Amino acid sequence: MNGVKYLMVILFVVLASACSDTRQGQSDKSLPDNPENRTVVATRYMEFMPPKDMLHGLASRIVQSLPEKNRKAFMDVMQGPDMEKLVYRITLDGLVKHFTIGELNAMVAFYGSPEGQSALKKFGPLMAEVMPQIQQEVKKAMAELPKEPESQEPQKPKAQPAPPGPKEQKASPSKK
């Protein structure tokens, strides 16, 4: 499941970076921005950015962290037609839900260009280089957080026995 989450994060990072290109395809400029038209343009986008390729790339990275005995089964699932269809549908639905026709056209224009294809090839190595560094910095930042909330938690139960004093006061007047 973490592999699918990682795939979606990478997909959306790539998609977000493509949105910075404002060129739009001429053929769909006048189309109304609705789910049906978005689906047409998103399908064209996925010709340049096939979810199957991203799924296979992700699987080849994840499989290295698995025990040897589980690797073949994992790859069989990740490269199977059912998973490919599922990832294609999930990706298409996400594109249609989150992007306008203009944004989708910009992504088609970018990834359909030689520069876009070149940039796409560089994203895997880029992420492989920066993610470990980012993870290290996040761990370092988390380690530097004050530890006061954790040390105060055990003290709260010790402070709770003191409040029964008022109960003793109620009991005292009845004894007199």
Side-chain angles (χ1 to χ4, degrees):
M1 234 25 201
N2 285 338
V4 175
K5 288 179 186 177
Y6 181 75
L7 170 70
M8 297 309 292
V9 169
I10 295 297
L11 172 69
F12 289 119
V13 167
V14 170
L15 293 176
S17 69
C19 288
S20 64
D21 189 325
T22 58
R23 294 175 289 161
Q24 294 183 355
Q26 296 298 318
S27 62
D28 295 318
K29 226 176 183 180
S30 62
L31 289 176
D33 192 356
N34 60 43
E36 294 78 22
N37 291 335
R38 287 181 183 189
T39 300
V40 170
V41 181
T43 302
R44 188 173 338 133
Y45 165 76
M46 291 195 312
E47 291 172 13
F48 297 109
M49 295 286 294
K52 174 182 171 179
D53 292 352
M54 288 186 286
L55 178 65
H56 291 183
L58 174 66
S60 66
R61 288 194 266 313
I62 292 174
V63 75
Q64 300 304 316
S65 66
L66 298 176
E68 187 70 38
K69 66 181 181 176
N70 298 339
R71 290 180 182 180
K72 183 182 179 331
F74 175 79
M75 290 305 287
D76 288 346
V77 169
M78 294 298 281
Q79 294 178 340
D82 291 340
M83 182 62 75
E84 290 173 3
K85 288 176 189 173
L86 179 66
V87 170
Y88 185 92
R89 184 189 52 76
I90 290 169
T91 304
L92 182 62
D93 291 348
L95 289 167
V96 169
K97 180 179 178 182
H98 293 284
F99 294 97
T100 66
I101 286 198
E103 292 165 339
L104 289 165
N105 278 324
M107 292 186 292
V108 168
F110 179 71
Y111 285 110
S113 72
E115 294 86 0
Q117 289 294 307
S118 177
L120 178 60
K121 291 175 185 172
K122 296 175 184 177
F123 265 104
L126 169 69
M127 295 308 288
E129 181 179 323
V130 301
M131 287 309 292
Q133 294 174 35
I134 292 170
Q135 290 171 343
Q136 183 179 14
E137 291 301 319
V138 169
K139 285 180 184 177
K140 188 188 323 179
M142 293 302 290
E144 292 174 3
L145 288 176
K147 303 208 185 238
E148 294 174 344
E150 292 177 349
S151 64
Q152 289 177 356
E153 294 275 329
Q155 293 175 358
K156 286 181 184 177
K158 292 179 184 177
Q160 288 177 354
K167 290 181 183 176
E168 292 173 6
Q169 290 174 355
K170 289 180 183 176
S172 307
S174 64
K175 289 182 180 178
K176 290 181 180 177

